[in-house]
């Protein structure tokens, strides 16, 4: 079943065509990766899906529902969660508090009943706590749950940001460069998390990533973009050996092979 469908999307900023007539579909349960040199249009595709931008042309649907009919603040409610290329967390709040923010879309009670903490509010609060504790267990974040974000190493923040997105219980998870800034070992851990998110939680993942080791390890399908246009779509191997993809990377730092970011052992988040 198709979960996300983008049809002939074009995004122009003045004279710049950031996304040029791109079509793609992501199936339920799939891990789909977008790759391409800097400026290829990858983040713009994410920003179209999360409704930061409205495409100049084209259609975007989630399980048949027209996403363009919804404002950006509806996106979480529709079941789309994302992480950012630059981590965005509340620095002076704890890990637990940041994850509880992710539960916001599930709140049904009104503010007054929350303040008086009566009836429904109490049981709902418990449910949110429980959901967040499950994410903390899932991502091995127990040691950090009451620590402030400001004091945490980069690699742990990256996992917390992933946790905040998971706490919303999304249907579609958008990951913008989940391995950027991570060590080789942390990148391997990230590969495990993504695999578990797909296999155990059944969440569909669309990611942008430069590390081709990670892309190869976790992706079912890959699309390469350059100058806003699709170059090739297929398995990671097919895309990496496609002549148009090889040519697009000539004169750049090259497609990062990323070594053997594989699935050898399950490590810790830190
Ligand atoms: N808000 C914007 N205004 C003007 N140009 C933009 C904007 N966002 C992106 N672009 C341009 O669109 C192109 C694609 O950018 P982007 O989607 O960020 O690429 P990528 O994420 O693949 O590196 C680039 O040329 C970029 O400068
Ligand atoms: Mg980008």
């Amino acid at each position: 079943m198709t979960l996300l469908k983008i049809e002939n999307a074009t995004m122009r900023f003045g004279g710049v065509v950031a996304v040029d007539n791109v079509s793609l579909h992501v199936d339920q349960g799939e891990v789909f990766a977008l790759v391409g040199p800097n400026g290829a249009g990858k983040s713009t595709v994410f920003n179209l899906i999360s409704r930061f931008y409205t495409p100049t042309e084209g259609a975007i649907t989630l399980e048949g529902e027209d996403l363009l009919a919804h404002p950006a603040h509806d996106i979480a409610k529709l079941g789309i969660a994302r992480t950012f290329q630059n981590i965005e967390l509340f620095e002076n709040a704890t890990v637990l508090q940041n994850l509880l923010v992710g539960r916001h879309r599930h709140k049904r009670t009104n503010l007054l009943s929350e303040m008086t903490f009566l009836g429904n509010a109490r049981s709902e609060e418990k449910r949110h706590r429980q959901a967040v504790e499950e994410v903390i267990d899932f991502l091995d974040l127990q040691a950090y749950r009451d620590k402030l974000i400001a004091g945490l190493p980069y690699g742990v923040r990256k996992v917390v940001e992933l946790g905040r997105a998971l706490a919303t219980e999304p249907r579609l998870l958008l990951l913008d460069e989940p391995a950027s800034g991570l060590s080789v070992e942390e990148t391997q851990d990230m590969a495990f998390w993504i695999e578990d998110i797909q296999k155990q939680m059944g969440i569909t993942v669309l990611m942008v990533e430069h590390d081709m080791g990670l892309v190869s390890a976790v992706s079912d399908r890959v699309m390469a973009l350059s100058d806003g246009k699709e170059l090739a779509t297929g398995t990671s191997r097919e895309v990496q050996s496609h002549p148009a993809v090889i040519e697009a990377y000539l004169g750049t730092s090259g497609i990062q092979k990323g070594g053997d970011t594989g699935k050898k052992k399950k490590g810790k988040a830190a």
Side-chain angles (χ1 to χ4, degrees), residues 199-254:
K199 304 253 154 71
Q200 291 178 29
M201 298 185 137
I203 294 172
T204 306
V205 177
L206 173 59
M207 68 172 188
V208 166
E209 182 52 57
H210 282 294
D211 185 322
M212 286 308 293
L214 177 65
V215 168
S216 305
V218 303
S219 306
D220 297 300
R221 286 189 303 140
V222 178
M223 175 183 280
L225 291 171
S226 181
D227 285 330
K229 293 187 193 66
E230 174 184 356
L231 294 176
T233 302
T235 64
S236 161
R237 192 183 294 264
E238 285 163 356
V239 167
Q240 284 182 75
S241 58
H242 195 286
V245 175
I246 292 167
E247 175 158 358
Y249 279 94
L250 286 177
T252 72
S253 53

Side-chain angles (χ1 to χ4, degrees), residues 1-6 24-35 45-46 49 62 79-83 138-139 162 165-166 169-179 190-209 214-215 217-223:
M1 191 197 78
T2 299
L3 181 64
L4 176 78
K5 193 169 188 182
I6 300 179
L24 67 86
H25 65 95
V26 180
D27 290 331
Q28 174 68 48
E30 189 174 35
V31 174
F32 191 103
L34 284 174
V35 303
V45 170
F46 267 32
I49 299 165
L62 187 74
I80 299 177
R82 72 174 290 180
T83 64
F138 179 76
L139 295 176
L162 179 61
L166 287 177
E169 299 180 61
R171 286 193 281 170
L172 176 66
L173 178 62
L174 306 176
L175 304 175
D176 201 349
E177 304 204 13
M190 188 56 76
F192 285 119
W193 300 135
I194 294 170
E195 197 184 26
D196 287 352
I197 286 164
Q198 176 192 33
K199 304 253 154 71
Q200 291 178 29
M201 298 185 137
I203 294 172
T204 306
V205 177
L206 173 59
M207 68 172 188
V208 166
E209 182 52 57
L214 177 65
V215 168
V218 303
S219 306
D220 297 300
R221 286 189 303 140
V222 178
M223 175 183 280

